[in-house]
Amino acid sequence: MMLLSGCQLLERPVSHTPDNSEEQLHPCADENAQVIKWLDYEHRYISSTLDEKRKLLIEAEKRQQTTLHALLLSAPGQSPEQLKRALEYLSTLKISPSCSAGQYVQVRTRQLQLQLNLLDQQYTLERQVDELQRQVDALTDLERQITRQREEH
C-alpha cells in the first residue's frame, strides 16, 4: 500500500506555494478573483471621462461580458433607462449565490431594484409637486382676478 501511495505522490506535481493549497480548499477562488476584476473595472469606469466610459461599455458589450456590462450600466450617474437595462441583464444571470460573485451580483441586483423604486417614487413626487404648483398658480390667478374686480367696484 505504501508503495502504491508513494507512486501516486510522485505523479502529482508538488506545489510549493501556499496559495495553491488554499485554492483547492476554496472552490470559489476563481469567482472571488472575478469579483475583484469587476470591482477594478467598475472603479476604472466610474473615474473615467464620458468618452472613456462609452468605450468601456462598448468593450464589455463586444466581449459579451453580460455581467460586467450590466454592472457598468448600473454604475452611479447612469440614466433610468440604463439602470432598467442593467436590472434586466442581472435578473437573467444564473450565478450561484454560494460564492462571492453570486452574492455580489445578488446585492447589486437588489440595490438596483431599490434604486429604481426610489427613482419611481421621486418621479411620482415630482409630478405631485408640479400638480400642486399648477393648483397654487391657478388659485393665485383667481385671487388676482377677485382683487381686480373689487378694486373696479
Side-chain angles (χ1 to χ4, degrees):
M1 282 290 237
M2 290 182 68
L3 288 175
L4 290 176
S5 64
C7 291
Q8 287 177 345
L9 289 175
L10 290 175
E11 290 178 2
R12 291 183 74 200
V14 178
S15 170
H16 295 289
T17 59
D19 292 340
N20 217 6
S21 62
E22 277 185 39
E23 286 180 359
Q24 290 173 359
L25 293 176
H26 301 289
C28 296
D30 290 340
E31 287 190 37
N32 292 341
Q34 185 62 50
V35 173
I36 292 169
K37 287 179 186 177
W38 289 339
L39 290 171
D40 286 343
Y41 210 89
E42 284 181 276
H43 175 73
R44 204 168 102 205
Y45 179 82
I46 290 169
S47 61
S48 296
T49 65
L50 287 175
D51 191 43
E52 291 170 341
K53 285 181 181 183
R54 186 178 54 78
K55 288 177 184 174
L56 290 171
L57 268 175
I58 290 170
E59 179 184 327
E61 191 172 21
K62 277 184 183 176
R63 292 161 89 195
Q64 296 182 346
Q65 294 177 332
T66 307
T67 306
L68 179 60
H69 189 231
L71 293 173
L72 296 182
L73 283 174
S74 68
Q78 302 294 52
S79 71
E81 291 78 24
Q82 289 172 315
L83 296 176
K84 287 175 186 173
R85 243 175 72 203
L87 183 59
E88 286 174 16
Y89 288 154
L90 290 176
S91 298
T92 61
L93 294 176
K94 306 283 189 255
I95 297 179
S96 170
S98 62
C99 295
S100 298
Q103 291 170 0
Y104 182 69
V105 169
Q106 279 185 333
V107 167
R108 286 295 296 270
T109 302
R110 183 67 183 135
Q111 174 194 11
L112 197 50
Q113 289 168 335
L114 292 172
Q115 186 177 359
L116 285 169
N117 288 343
L118 287 174
L119 285 174
D120 285 344
Q121 288 176 3
Q122 180 182 357
Y123 178 74
T124 301
L125 290 173
E126 286 173 354
R127 289 186 58 152
Q128 289 175 352
V129 166
D130 290 345
E131 176 60 24
L132 289 173
Q133 185 62 50
R134 188 192 63 73
Q135 290 175 0
V136 166
D137 291 344
L139 287 173
T140 303
D141 287 343
L142 183 62
E143 182 184 25
R144 285 184 195 144
Q145 289 175 3
I146 292 172
T147 302
R148 262 189 256 132
Q149 286 178 355
R150 283 186 186 163
E151 288 174 359
E152 290 176 0
H153 295 295

